[in-house]
Amino acid sequence: MNPFEDMRIFCQVMDSGSFTAAADQLGLSKQFVSRRLMQLEERLGVRLLNRSTRRLDVTPLGQSYYESALRLLGEVEQVEQGIAGQTAEPRGTIRVSAPLSFALAHLGCLLPLFLQRYRDVTVEVDLSDRPVDLLSEGYDLALRIGILEDSTLIARRIASIERVYCASPAYLAERGTPLKPEDLHSHDCLPYGHGRQVQWRFAGQGKPLAVNVTGRMRVNNGELLKDAAIAGMGITYLPTFIVGAALKDGRLVPVLDDFRPEPLTLSAVYPQHRQGSRPVRALIEFLRERLDRADDIL
């Protein structure tokens, strides 16, 4: 077996979290996988994994080897795809990380259409609002909303996402409608996330304005905040892909529209070694095609 196959086995063990799961996915025996990794460690003269009866722990050198192996295997795949010809249909598996609420709103209907168009592509989707580490966790692509941190990842814009301040008609009838951001000091707010202090930012006539907001409920999930706002618990600030339907049917009413900040950007980010992947490029272009023209639902 050549070194590239050893790399693939090691990366599959890292992605799967165990020898047994990796062996099942590779169609090999657990003993064969374990033996190949022991021989790999002997050849390199380092320990890549600390083994115990319950789990595998990667060593610092093992983590470094994993990230380098992912990049190298990606480059090999890119070369093979280039040789196969640019007219070939995309094929292979894409591991995607996406924000939970956005995925529930859009990917459930879009991914089946994508897979119908590209019959030889398989998609594995992990829904999480945390910023995953694409290299160390083995993702090919991540969808992210907002400002991107500086990194070696490549980013492609997919669409713009509007956010809106809103509350239920019953809440506003009881507590009054805020006319300027400072009025929120006398209101119950429903902020996203955790922490002792939350600031909402507003577009002003001069410089942007930040206002500290408080309330009796704080959640790191937009769907729960929307439901709480509909129930009259306070004013919330959420993307329109979460509250759009409630705004259309009147369960929620927008407030402070004159002070909305600029829209957020939905981006697709991926490691440099995946920029030649035809399935990754195909999925990005498909999402741009479907979402960039869907301003009414974003």
Side-chain angles (χ1 to χ4, degrees), residues 163-214:
R163 293 167 293 171
V164 60
Y165 305 96
C166 55
S168 71
Y171 175 86
L172 297 176
E174 178 182 353
R175 300 287 298 273
T177 299
L179 301 179
K180 56 184 185 300
E182 293 87 349
D183 293 344
L184 293 177
H185 292 309
S186 60
H187 281 271
D188 290 327
C189 295
L190 298 165
Y192 179 95
H194 299 299
R196 292 185 176 181
Q197 189 175 78
V198 175
Q199 286 188 335
W200 284 351
R201 297 188 178 277
F202 299 84
Q205 296 179 352
K207 61 181 182 180
L209 175 67
V211 174
N212 294 332
V213 296
T214 59

Side-chain angles (χ1 to χ4, degrees), residues 1-3 5-7 9-11 13-14 19 31-52 55-66:
M1 186 171 288
N2 62 47
E5 291 303 317
D6 287 344
M7 285 183 182
I9 290 176
F10 177 74
C11 288
V13 170
M14 287 284 290
F19 289 124
Q31 292 75 18
F32 181 83
V33 169
S34 179
R35 184 168 68 252
R36 290 306 307 177
L37 289 193
M38 289 179 63
Q39 293 173 354
L40 173 62
E41 289 177 324
E42 290 176 2
R43 187 171 75 247
L44 296 175
V46 299
R47 181 172 291 279
L48 302 174
L49 296 169
N50 292 317
R51 300 157 176 83
S52 68
R55 65 176 188 174
L56 298 175
D57 290 322
V58 64
T59 66
L61 287 175
Q63 182 66 37
S64 177
Y65 180 83
Y66 172 66

Side-chain angles (χ1 to χ4, degrees), residues 4 20 111-112 125 133 146 148 163 170 189 199 237 243-244 251 259 271:
F4 286 112
T20 301
L111 287 181
V125 184
D133 187 322
L148 301 176
R163 293 167 293 171
C189 295
Q199 286 188 335
Y237 177 44
V243 297
R251 288 176 294 162
F259 298 92

Side-chain angles (χ1 to χ4, degrees), residues 144 146-155 269 272:
R144 292 181 177 167
I147 298 174
L148 301 176
E149 296 181 359
D150 291 337
S151 72
T152 59
L153 300 175
I154 299 172
V269 297
Q272 294 187 23

Side-chain angles (χ1 to χ4, degrees), residues 17 28 44 59 85 93 97 101 109 125 133 139 143 196 225 227 247 276:
L28 304 171
L44 296 175
T59 66
T93 299
S97 172
S101 295
C109 59
V125 184
D133 187 322
Y139 290 99
L143 298 178
R196 292 185 176 181
L225 291 174
D227 291 342
L247 290 169

Side-chain angles (χ1 to χ4, degrees), residues 166-172 174 190 216-217 223-236 246 251-252:
C166 55
S168 71
Y171 175 86
L172 297 176
E174 178 182 353
L190 298 165
R216 298 172 54 208
M217 184 174 175
E223 295 292 335
L224 266 66
L225 291 174
K226 176 196 70 177
D227 291 342
I230 292 172
M233 294 291 296
I235 299 172
T236 194
R251 288 176 294 162
L252 292 175

